[in-house]
Amino acid sequence: MRRQCSSAPANRRGGKKLAGTFPVGCRHFVEEGVLYARLLNPNEQARLYDVAHVLLAEKTWEGCAGLEMTDEIRTVIAAQAALLLLGLDGYYFDDLETVLVYPGSFLSAEEDELGINRSPEMRLGEALEGGPVAISWWHARWSGRRLGDVNVVLHEFAHHLAEQGDPRSSRPPFVDASLSGRWDRVMRRDRERLAEDDDYGRPTVLDPYGATDQHEFFAVATETFFLKPVALRDRHPEVYELLVACYRQDPASRPIPPEVEESARGAEEEHSRHAVQECTVALSAHPDYLEAYHDRAAHRLALGDEAGALEDYAAILARTADGDERAEMLYDRAQLHDEAGRMAEAIADLTEALRECPDYAAALAQRGHLLASEGDLTAALRDLDAAVKMDRRDDLARRWRAEVHRLAGRHELALRDVEKAIRLYEHDPEHHAERERIRQAMGEKNSATDEHG
């Protein structure tokens, strides 16, 4: 029989005394439920267990909405929260007294800046100002078993840390005062870039939710700092440097062993299967719950179930009124048709989207790109010209128009467009590849001209 976890009473000065006494009976919860712990070196693992034990002993853990609190729930959440404190000796979320744990997502209502109650929203977690941290156990459990893009525990405990520092800038108290000006400048600049990249559907390392405000940007950046550190360092080097200074650790230096990657992939697949089941149960009770169709479609795609995802898109469209929302859903379904090589279906969806919303620049650009791939360069250029005119900062529309110009032999125009696309968004390798194709075509043309005098 496994020895039970300690239920020592709260002790504000007990951190160092408790360190090193993590109960053996709870270690398997960390080993099985916190995959990230396997990336840590022995000293970091020891620190993680020390911090987790203090959190288990000093904080009040309350199950909500009928959830029965267990050693597994407490330990898995505490160990994930402890990751934030690996480099911060002697600190144990000292201003936090209570952790509330719900079985799944929960409703939360807030007041706006004028003190007016907002409509309740479904949340995965919440760090209440001056109060407890609330966590969804279903999401915390799956966050711990994966190395994905999001982790609700890291996110909400990062919010709590920021509240203890400068709530205005969401700068934690551990950031050296000499870095405050740079912190504010870099975080604001990269948040604005994230917002623009999201608006144009560009691939981002950070979850676009981070563009909401400076508070969400810090929490999202914290998740990515631990889960995708190398990508964050490459794409947002100054953000990464500031977070290294904040958390006093360097996650990019932690290699991911092949067996951990395999475990993470397996957990991702299992998570998607469970998510599909959860959405299906929710939809059986609430057939008009559009968000559940969206979520199920995304997880079905992750599992390779394209037909199931298309069924969900059809269900959403059947329940969506005319207008912008319907146009966006048609645009999303067109992307799926495009990826599957069903050009006619994709073009039809985009055409319908444009009937709903004639100034939908992204749909015009996408249809132009597909028409070009079908060989209709005249119609493609008409759509792409209109798309660029509507939105001159759309890098994809620029690159796709560059491709049409190249195919039509208008190399100078093509080069001008692709150079602009690269200035707008330098991280898309296809932009650079297209520029190389244009340069090669220009070189071949010049060579042929020289040969024939």
Side-chain angles (χ1 to χ4, degrees), residues 89-325:
D89 291 340
Y91 179 77
Y92 302 90
F93 299 110
D94 296 341
D95 297 295
L96 176 66
E97 295 184 0
T98 304
V99 180
L100 306 176
V101 187
Y102 289 80
S105 303
F106 54 90
L107 281 174
S108 176
E110 293 182 343
E111 292 183 348
D112 61 19
E113 296 177 354
L114 299 177
I116 300 173
N117 288 329
R118 296 172 175 168
S119 300
E121 296 179 347
M122 294 301 297
R123 298 286 180 86
L124 309 184
E126 188 170 23
L128 298 167
E129 184 176 354
V133 169
I135 298 291
S136 158
W137 167 235
W138 193 88
H139 292 88
R141 176 176 179 266
W142 284 110
S143 292
R145 296 180 60 195
R146 299 179 293 146
L147 296 175
D149 298 313
V150 298
N151 182 296
V152 65
V153 178
L154 295 178
H155 187 101
E156 299 306 334
F157 276 83
H159 275 312
H160 176 79
L161 288 179
E163 184 188 335
Q164 310 314 310
D166 180 3
R168 179 189 60 82
S169 64
S170 207
R171 187 174 62 249
F174 317 112
V175 178
D176 191 278
S178 65
L179 295 175
S180 61
R182 183 184 176 206
W183 178 284
D184 294 349
R185 174 180 57 81
V186 169
M187 295 298 182
R188 180 175 59 253
R189 180 199 66 199
D190 283 36
R191 177 166 61 86
E192 291 171 355
R193 289 178 181 173
L194 177 63
E196 178 173 299
D197 288 346
D198 181 43
D199 285 343
Y200 289 98
R202 299 164 182 162
T204 60
V205 172
L206 294 165
D207 187 331
Y209 183 62
T212 304
D213 55 37
Q214 68 272 25
H215 310 296
E216 297 303 341
F217 186 83
F218 171 66
V220 163
T222 292
E223 293 175 87
T224 310
F225 179 69
F226 286 95
L227 301 176
K228 304 286 185 183
V230 175
L232 181 65
R233 184 186 61 190
D234 293 345
R235 186 71 169 273
H236 301 271
E238 289 192 88
V239 170
Y240 187 81
E241 290 174 10
L242 289 169
L243 292 178
V244 167
C246 171
Y247 290 113
R248 300 169 195 172
Q249 49 182 308
D250 183 11
S253 67
R254 296 170 183 144
I256 302 178
E259 63 272 16
V260 173
E261 290 184 337
E262 184 177 352
S263 294
R265 283 193 296 270
E268 287 284 357
E269 292 180 8
E270 190 178 356
H271 169 251
S272 288
R273 287 194 293 271
H274 276 260
V276 168
Q277 293 171 3
E278 292 285 330
C279 290
T280 301
V281 170
L283 287 168
S284 66
H286 305 284
D288 294 327
Y289 186 12
L290 296 186
E291 187 175 344
Y293 287 110
H294 279 287
D295 288 347
R296 190 171 68 177
H299 286 291
R300 281 175 160 174
L301 283 175
L303 294 169
D305 182 7
E306 182 185 291
L310 283 171
E311 288 179 4
D312 285 331
Y313 283 122
I316 295 170
L317 286 166
R319 292 166 172 79
T320 304
D322 296 345
D324 291 355
E325 185 178 357

Side-chain angles (χ1 to χ4, degrees), residues 18-124:
L18 288 168
T21 59
F22 191 89
V24 174
C26 285
R27 282 185 175 267
H28 72 289
F29 293 132
V30 178
E31 294 166 356
E32 297 172 5
V34 185
L35 186 63
Y36 195 95
R38 294 165 63 180
L39 305 183
L40 306 179
N41 63 41
N43 289 336
E44 290 171 328
Q45 287 185 352
R47 170 66 178 162
L48 179 129
Y49 280 112
D50 288 347
V51 174
H53 188 214
V54 174
L55 299 182
L56 289 169
E58 291 196 350
K59 312 305 175 186
T60 299
W61 297 79
E62 295 183 7
C64 303
L67 178 69
E68 180 182 353
M69 190 57 58
T70 66
D71 287 342
E72 179 187 10
I73 294 173
R74 282 188 291 264
T75 303
V76 168
I77 294 175
Q80 290 180 68
L83 292 170
L84 300 176
L85 308 186
L86 293 179
L88 303 171
D89 291 340
Y91 179 77
Y92 302 90
F93 299 110
D94 296 341
D95 297 295
L96 176 66
E97 295 184 0
T98 304
V99 180
L100 306 176
V101 187
Y102 289 80
S105 303
F106 54 90
L107 281 174
S108 176
E110 293 182 343
E111 292 183 348
D112 61 19
E113 296 177 354
L114 299 177
I116 300 173
N117 288 329
R118 296 172 175 168
S119 300
E121 296 179 347
M122 294 301 297
R123 298 286 180 86
L124 309 184

